Amino acid sequence: MKKHVCPRCGSSNIDWIIPQVWSKWVCKDCSYTGPAIEADEDLINEIKADWEENKEKYLEEEDIRAQRILSGEEKRLDDEMELEEEDELSD
Ligand SMILES: [Zn+2]
């Protein structure tokens, strides 16, 4: 039997947030928003296994994207820190 699940983590713990827009779902487990998919048990298990294996990578990628959008100043701070490290190395 097929059911609606989160395409990212395979959770069926999802809510249809805007009844007029079928593609707007939110996942309570991984906070994904977007279209849900219809999947059977086999596919759900595959998605869950992939998510368990890669979730840190997926969340990290999302984090990096969010930081880039939030500020370009952090990059300058990183550059300064690198210079300090070089000084310590030459000591
Ligand atoms: Zn999810």
Side-chain angles (χ1 to χ4, degrees), residues 33-50:
T33 56
I37 57 165
E38 264 189 284
D40 57 21
E41 280 302 315
D42 282 353
L43 184 58
I44 291 169
N45 287 336
E46 250 179 66
I47 295 170
K48 281 184 175 172
D50 182 61

Side-chain angles (χ1 to χ4, degrees), residues 6-90:
C6 167
R8 187 156 76 171
C9 71
S11 170
S12 54
N13 193 14
I14 55 174
D15 262 350
W16 192 8
I17 46 177
I18 307 174
Q20 289 82 6
V21 185
W22 70 269
S23 63
K24 275 289 179 189
W25 294 72
V26 59
C27 173
K28 290 175 184 170
D29 285 349
C30 74
S31 65
Y32 163 90
T33 56
I37 57 165
E38 264 189 284
D40 57 21
E41 280 302 315
D42 282 353
L43 184 58
I44 291 169
N45 287 336
E46 250 179 66
I47 295 170
K48 281 184 175 172
D50 182 61
W51 171 246
E52 283 303 320
E53 206 178 297
N54 297 302
K55 64 178 163 190
E56 281 177 21
K57 195 179 79 185
Y58 291 152
L59 291 174
E60 201 177 309
E61 280 169 6
E62 219 167 76
D63 231 40
I64 289 167
R65 214 181 311 144
Q67 278 175 18
R68 277 193 193 140
I69 293 166
L70 277 175
S71 98
E73 283 197 332
E74 275 188 28
K75 201 183 177 319
R76 240 185 292 147
L77 286 173
D78 281 349
D79 288 344
E80 277 170 21
M81 274 162 67
E82 271 172 38
L83 285 175
E84 275 175 26
E85 273 172 32
E86 274 173 30
D87 284 343
E88 277 174 22
L89 283 173
S90 63

